[in-house]
Amino acid sequence: MRKNFGHWPAKSIDRRTFLLAAGAAFAHAQVSRADEPSETSLRQRAEKKGLVFGTQVNAGPLFSLKPYRDAVLRDAAMIVPENEMKWRPTQPAARQFNYFNADRIASFAEGNALLLRGHTAVWHQNPPAWTKDLISSGDGQKLVLDHARELIEHFRGRVMEWDVVNEAIAPEDGMPDNLRNWAPYSKGGISFIADCFHAAREADPNANLYYNDYSVYYQNQDQRRDAILGFLEKLKSKGAPIGGFGIQSHLIAKAEFNEVAYRRFLSEVADLGLKIRATELDVSDVRLGPDIELRDTIVAAHTKQYLDVLFDEPAVVGLVTWGMTDRFSWLHEGWPRKDRLRQRCLPLDENFAKKPMWYAIADALDHAPSR
Ligand code: XIL
């Protein structure tokens, strides 16, 4: 999905964002004094509104770094493994399964009464190397379907919600129905994607089944918004047992929201009878200068601006961040800053202290309408 970031506008910060940033900085100055163990967690603030706050976790730090684990347990009511449930780690060789880390995370969720999201059964980016030729062969669709079924069956009853299919829409590929140019999609079309949802439903009759995708809130994303809506509509009309739409929410501080179009998009997804969850929130600061305080302030304001719109939509059930702490983020490697400073993209800093982004999420939750 990297290349898509290039489409986001590089406009300088507008007046509204500045005012919001100033507001967030002020709010932070006020609340940071209360940064003590008794301070209400994100989890509690969300629960109060009938929402769920969650975070992505990685088995490495989760099982070796106590402050990381503590931060997760303090703020999250839901977790999702960063990579551990993906195809490559779970089936490194044909018919050889390795659920070690994914199972550990599932047990951790159970042991701590956390909700567990499953991510992700069908994604063009993560098939293991051994599937390379098979996927574009006549057996490709069956291979992907079998994988989805087996993965979801393995976790039957333990995962409350699956990203069954991830990032299937790519209008820039010029394929029918705006599907991504990936063999199983180009051969099977939307019917194949509906089959993935049916396989998921058979594998776990009680899990919520989600379609997950990115980039539907900024200017210049009209084509994606339309394409995803059209796709969801068609998927539903084919009888696919889909219950929700996941909005990844990999934001970019300084990119320009299209608030009107985003609101409309959310309500149109809701009109299809789907629930909505932000599933991978983080805020890249690659377009900002090096000043830490300014970066934190603008990242927080961007977060707040985004969440206020999101939470206004009654079909929205919650928010999951793509990590809790700047110490661990895919953005450091996936999208490094030119000045080589580390990004300040998540609610906690590298030492697990709350940043303005944490307070922006808290504030947005506190002001969210109750469900
Ligand atoms: C990312 C992980 O965070 C990285 O560790 C990995 O190398 C690549 O995938 N959209 C998704 C996630 O749906 O699965 C991606 O996670 C981030 C973008």
Side-chain angles (χ1 to χ4, degrees), residues 38-49 75:
S38 63
E39 193 169 41
T40 311
S41 66
L42 297 180
R43 171 194 177 123
Q44 288 168 307
R45 289 169 199 257
E47 270 161 16
K48 231 172 148 179
K49 297 302 172 75
D75 275 326

Side-chain angles (χ1 to χ4, degrees), residues 1 56 82-83 86 119-120 123 125 166-167 212 248 250 280 322 330:
M1 69 166 284
Q56 168 254 76
E82 179 171 24
N83 293 308
K86 290 173 183 169
H119 176 81
T120 173
W123 187 31
Q125 268 198 23
N166 193 30
E167 303 182 351
N212 198 49
Q248 290 186 0
H250 294 292
E280 305 182 13
W322 206 239
W330 72 304

